[in-house]
C-alpha cells in the first residue's frame, strides 16, 4: 500500500492523538503520555500544552495534578534531553538508553573534571537534603548544597550532576513548584516517588519501545526510530523483530513506513485533518519525533521554525498537517493589538484562507481557555 506525503503527515496527526479519529472516550493526561511513551519536555510549559492539545477537555490544572499525584514525571530517558513519561515507564526506558547516554557524555565530563567520586558525593548530598526538606527540593537548592559540599556547579557542572543523578535513577522531576509560577518542578527521590515501576527484561523492553513508538508516531521509518531512541542498530532490529507482527507497513516515495493497524485503516477512507488548523507548542513530538520532518515542514520554512538550526524549535501553526507559520505570546503593546484571543500572536508564512483564519481564531480561543484553567 502506498500513500502521498500529504496523507502521511495527516496520518501522524491521527496517530499522535492531535486529531482523534475514534469514538472512544477522550483520553486524560496520563492516557496521552502513556500512548506517546516519551513526550519531548525541555520546555515545560510547552510540554503541558503538548499534553493538553491531545487531551481535549483537560485543563492545565488537570495535567499539573497528574504530576503532583506522581502519575507523570520528567527526566532524560532519550537523547540526553528532558521528556515527560508515565512514572511507571521511566525505569525500563532508562534501562535501554542510560548507559549509551552516559558514554556519550564521557568526554564532556572529563572536560568538566567530573569523576565517579564526585558523583558519589553529590548523590549523598542530594539524598541527605531530600531527607531534611520534606522529600522535595528545587534545582537551586540542590546546586547550592553541591557548592556548599565543595563541588563547583559552574560551567555546567551543576547541570551535568543533576543529569547523571536522573540518568542513574536517583532523582526525578515530579511535583509542580507553584512558587515558580507553575513552570518548574521539584526534584524528588525516584525510588520514593515512583511507587509501581515496571520491570521488563531487555528483549521485552526493546519490543515494547519499538511497538509503542511506531503506534504513536507512525507512519515512521526505522531511521526515524533510530534517531528518536538512539539505540544501536542491533537493538533496533531486535525490537522491531519483536513488534513487527503488531504493525502494518506502507510505502511513500520508495521508503517503508511502520504504523499501527488502526492508523493504516484510515487510508481506505478520507484521512481527516485536511482542513485542520492547529497551534502546536515548540518542541512538540509532531516535529521532534522524526529525523525526517519534510512531510510536515517544507525545507524553505525550516530556518523560520528552527532559526540558525540551533535546536530551538518555535511553536507552530499547522494547517492540514503542514507547518504554515509560527506563533508566540505578544510582548509589546503593538503586538498585543494583533494577538488572537488575548494569547496568540501568529507569524504566518503566507496568508490563510478565510476559513483557515476562522479556524485559527477558534484554536487560539481553545488555547486561551486551557491556559487559564
Amino acid at each position: 500500500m502506498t500513500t502521498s506525503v500529504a496523507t502521511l503527515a495527516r496520518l501522524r496527526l491521527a496517530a499522535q492523538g492531535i486529531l482523534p479519529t475514534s469514538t472512544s472516550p477522550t483520553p486524560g493526561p496520563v492516557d496521552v503520555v502513556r500512548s506517546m511513551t516519551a513526550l519531548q519536555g525541555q520546555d515545560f510549559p510547552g510540554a503541558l500544552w503538548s499534553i493538553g492539545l491531545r487531551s481535549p477537555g483537560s485543563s492545565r490544572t488537570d495535567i499539573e495534578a497528574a504530576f503532583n499525584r506522581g502519575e507523570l514525571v520528567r527526566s532524560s530517558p532519550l537523547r540526553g534531553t528532558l521528556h515527560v513519561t508515565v512514572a511507571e515507564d521511566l525505569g525500563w526506558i532508562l534501562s535501554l538508553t542510560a548507559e549509551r547516554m552516559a558514554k556519550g557524555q564521557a568526554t564532556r565530563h572529563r572536560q568538566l573534571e567530573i569523576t565517579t567520586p564526585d558523583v558519589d558525593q553529590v548523590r549523598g548530598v542530594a539524598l541527605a537534603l531530600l531527607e531534611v526538606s520534606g522529600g522535595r527540593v528545587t534545582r537551586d537548592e540542590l546546586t547550592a548544597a553541591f557548592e556548599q559540599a565543595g563541588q563547583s556547579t559552574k560551567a555546567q557542572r551543576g547541570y551535568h550532576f543533576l543529569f547523571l543523578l536522573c540518568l542513574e535513577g536517583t532523582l526525578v522531576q515530579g511535583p509542580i513548584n507553584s512558587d515558580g509560577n507553575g513552570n518548574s518542578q521539584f526534584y524528588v527521590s525516584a525510588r520514593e516517588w515512583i511507587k509501581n515501576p515496571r520491570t521488563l527484561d531487555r528483549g521485552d523492553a526493546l519490543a515494547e519501545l519499538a511497538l509503542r513508538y511506531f503506534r504513536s508516531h507512525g507512519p515512521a521509518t526505522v531511521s526515524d526510530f533510530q534517531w528518536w531512541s538512539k539505540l544501536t542498530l542491533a537493538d533496533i532490529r531486535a525490537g522491531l523483530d519483536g513488534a513487527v507482527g503488531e504493525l502494518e507497513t506502507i510505502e511513500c516515495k520508495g521508503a517503508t513506513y511502520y504504523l499501527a493497524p488502526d492508523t493504516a485503516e484510515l487510508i481506505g477512507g478520507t484521512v481527516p485533518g485536511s482542513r485542520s488548523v492547529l497551534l502546536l507548542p515548540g518542541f512538540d513530538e509532531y516535529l521532534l519525533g522524526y529525523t525526517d520532518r519534510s512531510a510536515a515542514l517544507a525545507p524553505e520554512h525550516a530556518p523560520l521554525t528552527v532559526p540558525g538550526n540551533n535546536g530551538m524549535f518555535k511553536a507552530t501553526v499547522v494547517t492540514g498537517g503542514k507547518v504554515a507559520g509560527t506563533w508566540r505570546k505578544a510582548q509589546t503593546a503593538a503586538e498585543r493589538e494583533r494577538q488572537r484571543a488575548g494569547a496568540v500572536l501568529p507569524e504566518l508564512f503566507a496568508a490563510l484562507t478565510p476559513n483557515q483564519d476562522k479556524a485559527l481564531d477558534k484554536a487560539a480561543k481553545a488555547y486561551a481557555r486551557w491556559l487559564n484553567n
Side-chain angles (χ1 to χ4, degrees), residues 21 27 176 180 188 289 295 306 347 350:
T21 59
I176 306 297
V188 293
V306 195
E347 297 177 348

Side-chain angles (χ1 to χ4, degrees), residues 107-149:
T107 298
R108 180 58 177 150
H109 293 159
R110 285 194 295 271
Q111 292 171 346
L112 294 172
E113 299 182 340
I114 293 176
T115 65
T116 298
D118 292 333
V119 178
D120 291 340
Q121 183 184 14
V122 296
R123 182 190 306 112
V125 169
L127 292 175
L129 182 61
L130 285 168
E131 281 192 19
V132 299
S133 302
R136 56 184 66 184
V137 293
T138 66
R139 178 192 179 107
D140 288 345
E141 289 169 339
L142 281 167
T143 55
F146 296 162
E147 288 279 357
Q148 188 173 10

